[in-house]
């Protein structure tokens, strides 16, 4: 029996389903987390063979000892994974330390975690990238801006999500950025791209071939949603555009991805942009070597009438899957921000859209910055129906 260690299986709350499918496929599923066992979701408890509680997942020594204990008790560990951006580097260090070869090692981290390093692999895949400058001095940044013009975007080179990301419109904001930026953190500054985020989401087998592919569109900037405390919307496409598929597959090959669930982000240009491309073309943004966050895996299931948790677990156990996938529907996410005077209340929403609603939940505080506070997920056969849903659900009273 293969041994699989799942780091932080309790967060996000839907990740117990990855564990369930691993166990259904005959793996010995071993969890490491900081939530007391008695507080775990009963579904997660039933999906684990054993759980090791640490006082703090940030404590390297404790997590190291937990892995060592499982090796002592069960023998060689075949897989170790969290499927979580926050723990990617920790996962790689543990694999390297314990000679677990079925995933990224410490030596792989620069190209998949540092935005500046990603660019050369996107270029290798033949995908345009934004011009950039590693933030040094005010004068150095001004020289870069003289070349590309305002606005520019500055963010940690090794960052998670849109945390501490700045859109800078003028010299005054640039000077303020130097006051607000985190000390001892390396920042990258990029020319601003006028585009909407289009993703390539896929489960990749051990040969680097896709077992499942889809994509989502985020019409609003995550950076703006976080910084402006705005509502959040994105949707899973009914059918993946061919240019996104081609760019995604080329990126998989360039980065040497094997046996992973991935979320690659691209910009689709909203206007011609010199040096990058024509309106409608694809430009690189960044790679994420884990599933798209939050409840997106569930949305993929609703859009394609499938089970990505099972497809991923089939990849782990068998390197193939027979799970059917269809072009079923658009799956729309709307995250409403508390404190806004929305035209439709919860009862109104259920009355009009209850027949196509799939999920309605409060969003955990840890995710609310980028996703809003109250979410609604619904499916629609046409894009027109979906757009009407967004117009209704996000409309505010004047």
């Amino acid at each position: 029996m293969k041994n699989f260690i799942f780091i932080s299986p309790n967060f996000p709350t839907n990740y117990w389903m990855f564990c369930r499918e691993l166990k259904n496929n005959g793996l010995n599923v071993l969890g490491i987390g900081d939530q007391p066992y008695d507080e775990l979701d009963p579904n997660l408890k039933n999906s684990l063979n054993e759980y090791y509680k640490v006082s703090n997942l940030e404590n390297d020594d404790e997590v190291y000892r937990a892995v060592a204990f499982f090796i002592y008790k069960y023998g060689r560990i075949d897989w170790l994974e969290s499927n979580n951006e926050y723990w990617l580097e920790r996962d790689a260090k543990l694999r390297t330390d314990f000679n677990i070869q079925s995933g990224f090692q410490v030596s792989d981290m620069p190209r998949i975690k540092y935005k500046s390093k990603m660019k050369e692999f996107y270029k290798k895949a033949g995908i345009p990238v934004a011009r950039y400058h590693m933030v040094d001095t005010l004068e150095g940044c001004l020289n870069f801006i003289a070349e590309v013009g305002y606005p520019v975007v500055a963010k940690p080179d090794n960052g998670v999500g849109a945390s501490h990301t700045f859109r800078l419109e003028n010299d005054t904001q640039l000077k303020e950025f130097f006051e607000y930026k985190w000390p001892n953190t390396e920042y990258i500054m990029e020319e601003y791209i006028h585009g909407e985020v289009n993703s390539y989401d896929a489960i990749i087998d051990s040969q680097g071939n896709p077992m499942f592919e889809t994509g989502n569109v985020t019409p609003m900037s995550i950076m703006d949603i976080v910084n402006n405390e705005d509502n959040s919307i994105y949707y899973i496409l009914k059918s993946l555009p061919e240019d996104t598929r081609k760019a995604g597959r080329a990126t998989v090959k360039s980065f040497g991805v094997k046996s992973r669930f991935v979320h690659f982000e691209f910009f689709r240009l909203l206007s011609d942009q010199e040096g990058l491309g024509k309106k409608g073309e694809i430009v690189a943004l960044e790679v994420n070597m884990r599933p798209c966050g939050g409840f997106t895996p569930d949305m993929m299931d609703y859009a394609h009438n499938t089970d990505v948790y099972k497809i991923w677990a089939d990849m782990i156990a068998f390197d193939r899957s027979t799970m059917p996938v269809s072009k079923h529907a658009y799956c729309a996410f709307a995250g409403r921000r508390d404190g806004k005077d929305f035209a439709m209340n919860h009862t109104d929403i259920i009355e009009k859209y209850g027949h196509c609603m799939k999920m309605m939940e409060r969003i955990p505080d840890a995710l609310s910055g980028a996703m809003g506070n109250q979410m609604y997920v619904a499916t629609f056969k046409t894009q027109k129906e979906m757009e009407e849903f967004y117009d209704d659900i996000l409309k505010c009273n004047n």
Side-chain angles (χ1 to χ4, degrees):
M1 180 183 290
K2 290 184 178 180
N3 294 315
F4 191 110
I5 291 180
F6 207 113
I7 305 292
S8 188
N10 56 302
F11 187 85
T13 54
N14 49 334
Y15 273 24
W16 69 268
M17 289 185 275
F18 284 122
C19 297
R20 176 193 64 194
E21 296 306 325
L22 288 171
K23 192 172 183 182
N24 286 343
N25 281 345
L27 275 74
N28 194 38
V29 188
L30 310 168
I32 300 175
D34 53 15
Q35 186 174 13
Y37 180 77
D38 290 343
E39 297 177 10
L40 295 179
D41 185 304
N43 291 308
L44 176 56
K45 289 181 181 179
N46 292 333
S47 301
L48 297 173
N49 294 88
E50 187 168 348
Y51 180 74
Y52 189 112
K53 182 195 174 298
V54 295
S55 63
N56 187 348
L57 275 173
E58 301 277 3
N59 188 311
D60 290 345
D61 289 340
E62 274 196 279
V63 178
Y64 184 96
R65 288 197 299 270
V67 175
F69 170 78
F70 281 144
I71 291 174
Y72 171 77
K73 185 171 181 179
Y74 296 102
R76 183 171 65 90
I77 302 301
D78 299 283
W79 295 83
L80 183 147
E81 187 59 71
S82 66
N83 276 344
N84 194 313
E85 182 78 21
Y86 191 78
W87 302 117
L88 278 182
E89 289 173 291
R90 161 73 62 70
D91 293 348
K93 187 174 189 311
L94 289 168
R95 291 191 204 101
T96 301
D97 288 346
F98 290 101
N99 195 29
I100 302 168
Q101 296 296 314
S102 54
F104 288 120
Q105 307 292 303
V106 170
S107 59
D108 297 311
M109 284 298 101
R111 76 177 188 276
I112 67 175
K113 283 293 293 177
Y114 289 83
K115 294 171 178 62
S116 58
K117 303 292 186 186
M118 294 176 188
K119 290 180 181 290
E120 62 186 271
F121 291 90
Y122 266 126
K123 288 180 183 177
K124 184 178 164 186
I127 302 165
V129 300
R131 289 171 290 181
Y132 74 100
H133 172 74
M134 299 310 297
V135 172
D136 45 12
T137 63
L138 178 62
E139 182 181 5
C141 290
L142 284 169
N143 289 336
F144 172 69
I145 293 166
E147 177 187 349
V148 302
Y150 283 112
V152 293
V153 175
K155 52 193 173 184
D157 194 27
N158 180 10
V160 177
S163 179
H164 229 241
T165 297
F166 300 83
R167 173 174 167 166
L168 309 176
E169 303 274 358
N170 51 53
D171 289 358
T172 299
Q173 291 182 359
L174 175 64
K175 291 173 184 176
E176 290 174 347
F177 159 71
F178 272 88
E179 295 176 13
Y180 296 144
K181 72 183 185 72
W182 289 326
N184 305 316
T185 298
E186 193 166 30
Y187 281 77
I188 183 172
M189 180 175 287
E190 298 177 302
E191 65 179 311
Y192 186 81
I193 297 178
H194 300 274
E196 64 176 12
V197 176
N198 283 224
S199 76
Y200 172 81
D201 299 86
I203 298 171
I204 307 299
D205 70 14
S206 66
Q207 301 303 309
N209 299 312
M211 294 171 53
F212 166 82
E213 296 172 298
T214 188
N216 68 58
V217 173
T218 306
M220 303 167 66
S221 161
I222 297 294
M223 172 181 63
D224 291 340
I225 291 168
V226 173
N227 292 341
N228 302 334
E229 296 186 342
D230 210 340
N231 302 314
S232 174
I233 68 172
Y234 71 100
Y235 55 90
I236 305 296
L237 290 161
K238 187 175 182 178
S239 181
L240 184 65
E242 194 54 39
D243 59 350
T244 307
R245 186 190 312 277
K246 181 179 178 183
R249 291 185 177 185
T251 304
V252 166
K253 299 299 183 186
S254 180
F255 280 82
V257 180
K258 296 178 180 179
S259 302
R260 290 200 74 77
F261 204 143
V262 298
H263 171 65
F264 297 159
E265 294 177 338
F266 304 92
F267 281 116
R268 189 174 295 280
L269 294 177
L270 295 175
S271 60
D272 294 355
Q273 196 158 346
E274 186 178 353
L276 290 173
K278 300 291 187 182
K279 179 180 178 180
E281 292 182 344
I282 291 286
V283 175
L285 176 50
E286 65 183 56
V287 296
N288 298 280
M289 299 296 180
R290 42 76 180 172
C292 188
F295 299 96
T296 309
D298 305 275
M299 293 171 60
M300 294 174 186
D301 288 351
Y302 299 137
H304 300 295
N305 199 22
T306 191
D307 186 341
V308 297
Y309 299 100
K310 176 169 174 50
I311 296 173
W312 176 82
D314 287 349
M315 176 271 291
I316 296 293
F318 314 121
D319 207 25
R320 57 183 173 77
S321 181
T322 58
M323 190 71 204
V325 178
S326 67
K327 298 175 183 178
H328 178 65
Y330 292 90
C331 187
F333 172 97
R336 305 212 306 183
R337 188 74 61 182
D338 288 350
K340 293 183 180 290
D341 184 19
F342 292 105
M344 293 182 75
N345 62 31
H346 181 76
T347 302
D348 297 331
I349 293 168
I350 300 310
E351 184 175 338
K352 184 168 183 179
Y353 291 106
H355 65 287
C356 52
M357 199 68 67
K358 297 297 183 183
M359 302 178 77
M360 297 175 290
E361 291 189 26
R362 292 292 294 176
I363 296 172
D365 290 344
L367 302 175
S368 63
M371 301 182 71
N373 303 105
Q374 173 67 40
M375 74 155 187
Y376 295 91
V377 171
T379 55
F380 302 92
K381 291 297 183 183
T382 68
Q383 188 163 355
K384 183 174 183 291
E385 292 173 315
M386 179 177 66
E387 289 170 353
E388 289 174 356
F389 164 75
Y390 279 133
D391 288 343
D392 282 344
I393 204 167
L394 298 179
K395 183 180 179 181
C396 289
N397 294 313
N398 294 328

